[in-house]
Amino acid sequence: MLCYDIGGTHLRGTVYDVVAGKFVNQSVRSTPNYLLQYDANAEDIFRRIIEECVILGEELLAGQRPTTIVVGYPGPVTNQGVALRSPTILGSVLDKPLNVGEALRKAHPNVNVHVLNDLICSGFYFVKQGWQDFCVITVGSGIGNKVFVNGKAIVGPSGRGGEIGHLKACGFDSLPFCFRWSEIGAVSSGRGTSCLAKEWAAARPEDFNGSLLKAEDFQAPANDTELLLTDAFRKNDELAVRIVTAACYPLAFGIASIHQAIGIETFMIVGGFSKALGERYRKILVCTVSEMAWNLGQDWNSMIQLGKVGEEEGLLGAVAYALEHSTNGATNND
């Protein structure tokens, strides 16, 4: 079984040996996206992604033919395998529906192809761990979520549910400068937090005096500012903690809203950025959410959990899904 986890930043591929019950031959590479191919159109970027998947699959399988392909994709996916949006890949300007399932079937004729949202994949992983009612949230290149009830994802008849990162929320006043933004993911994701740090450096460079962070580092396009911020945060740098805490507010509002709207009491936080920040990030999120939600005796410390570093929830869940769905097709809410 050939498995892909297509993220906004990284494209992961692996082969799952059904007989042995384990992954073999894993590989990771950069996802072609609007940030790396700034002069390309949506069709060019999408074509490049499919090409990368084919090349990666050939390398992983060493020339053998896959019988089943399962893909986790970062956006709302219909039952026909159409990604309605791909903002972390195409950006807001180029974003449009993409028929991921059709493209992969053309590249791999007569192969069972399953395409589903990446958070659906992660959710299946937690279902296999025994969880039934929970919300899984990714904090990576973007922000996404899926609510599971009785082990089933609740996304609505058209697969539009579970996209809290694109909820247009109002601004917040915890910043010492004006920062224009619209969506939760534009601030609380890894890219969003990095953008906030850049704006902070431009507006208040004096705050960086005495910090491990240097204002000039956030003005150099070539620097990996997300990595700089993560490293400083893990070293408990005061300014880095302050920036990350401010970036948490929109996401915390979203989590509190989900809880108070439907009563879900377990939130699984996954995604590369949240895991890189670690336990201190989880505690900040717990504290911030508890301040926003109506206090009815909830234990937010136990309700908000952080995925394990190195755990590939998306790939593991994708395999679990594919093993239970042997018919050819694509779906996102079975």
Side-chain angles (χ1 to χ4, degrees):
M1 183 187 302
L2 183 58
C3 308
Y4 297 111
D5 181 6
I6 303 175
T9 302
H10 295 110
L11 192 164
R12 294 176 172 83
T14 187
V15 175
Y16 184 78
D17 187 326
V18 177
V19 176
K22 64 179 181 180
F23 289 118
V24 294
N25 299 334
Q26 297 188 46
S27 184
V28 181
R29 59 188 62 190
S30 296
T31 301
N33 60 42
Y34 73 102
L35 296 173
L36 298 177
Q37 300 182 346
Y38 56 89
D39 58 346
N41 58 35
E43 289 74 18
D44 290 338
I45 294 173
F46 182 51
R47 182 172 58 253
R48 183 58 183 156
I49 288 173
I50 300 301
E51 290 174 351
E52 284 290 333
C53 286
V54 172
I55 294 171
L56 181 56
E58 291 175 347
E59 293 176 357
L60 292 169
L61 290 167
Q64 297 184 32
R65 178 182 171 81
T67 57
T68 300
I69 295 176
V70 58
V71 181
Y73 193 84
V77 179
T78 70
N79 289 338
Q80 292 72 43
V82 177
L84 298 176
R85 294 292 178 89
S86 312
T88 58
I89 292 176
L90 298 180
S92 59
V93 175
L94 300 178
D95 208 3
K96 59 184 292 187
L98 301 173
N99 198 327
V100 182
E102 180 183 67
L104 286 171
R105 290 189 187 93
K106 286 182 178 179
H108 299 279
N110 302 316
V111 174
N112 290 332
V113 176
H114 302 279
V115 181
L116 54 159
N117 172 266
D118 54 352
L119 264 295
I120 296 282
C121 293
S122 295
F124 263 87
Y125 166 79
F126 290 113
V127 169
K128 288 301 179 182
Q129 304 304 305
W131 297 95
Q132 290 293 301
D133 303 331
F134 61 91
C135 177
V136 57
I137 297 175
T138 184
V139 183
S141 302
I143 297 285
N145 79 287
K146 288 294 179 287
V147 171
F148 280 71
V149 176
N150 294 327
K152 301 290 184 180
I154 308 300
V155 296
S158 301
R160 298 190 181 105
E163 296 297 334
I164 191 176
H166 302 288
L167 177 66
K168 296 184 184 299
C170 60
F172 53 100
D173 58 6
S174 63
L175 293 174
F177 59 91
C178 179
F179 178 62
R180 298 184 61 186
W181 63 284
S182 58
E183 298 180 348
I184 288 176
V187 181
S188 298
S189 67
R191 288 180 185 173
T193 305
S194 178
C195 179
L196 175 59
K198 291 178 182 179
E199 294 288 339
W200 201 306
R204 294 179 62 89
E206 65 273 16
D207 287 355
F208 287 71
N209 295 333
S211 170
L212 294 174
L213 302 174
K214 305 303 176 187
E216 57 269 24
D217 289 341
F218 285 84
Q219 302 304 313
N223 286 342
D224 188 340
T225 52
E226 194 172 316
L227 179 61
L228 292 173
L229 183 61
T230 300
D231 287 345
F233 179 87
R234 292 183 65 87
K235 294 175 181 176
N236 203 27
D237 178 79
E238 182 178 349
L239 178 61
V241 171
R242 188 180 175 191
I243 292 172
V244 171
T245 300
C248 277
Y249 273 82
L251 175 58
F253 177 77
I255 293 174
S257 298
I258 292 172
H259 170 67
Q260 293 193 192
I262 59 178
I264 286 291
E265 296 192 355
T266 300
F267 295 85
M268 306 293 193
I269 311 298
V270 300
F273 186 63
S274 62
K275 291 183 181 181
L277 293 176
E279 175 63 10
R280 183 180 290 113
Y281 172 77
R282 188 194 71 84
K283 289 182 177 179
I284 290 173
L285 197 56
V286 165
C287 180
T288 309
V289 173
S290 65
E291 293 173 351
M292 293 184 173
W294 191 22
N295 184 0
L296 295 175
Q298 306 96 320
D299 179 10
W300 284 105
N301 188 55
S302 64
M303 289 167 61
I304 296 178
Q305 303 184 31
L306 185 65
K308 296 179 181 179
V309 175
E311 191 77 271
E312 297 284 0
E313 297 97 347
L315 289 173
L316 289 165
V319 168
Y321 175 90
L323 290 175
E324 291 186 4
H325 299 77
S326 59
T327 58
N328 194 4
T331 184
N332 77 325
N333 59 358
D334 284 351

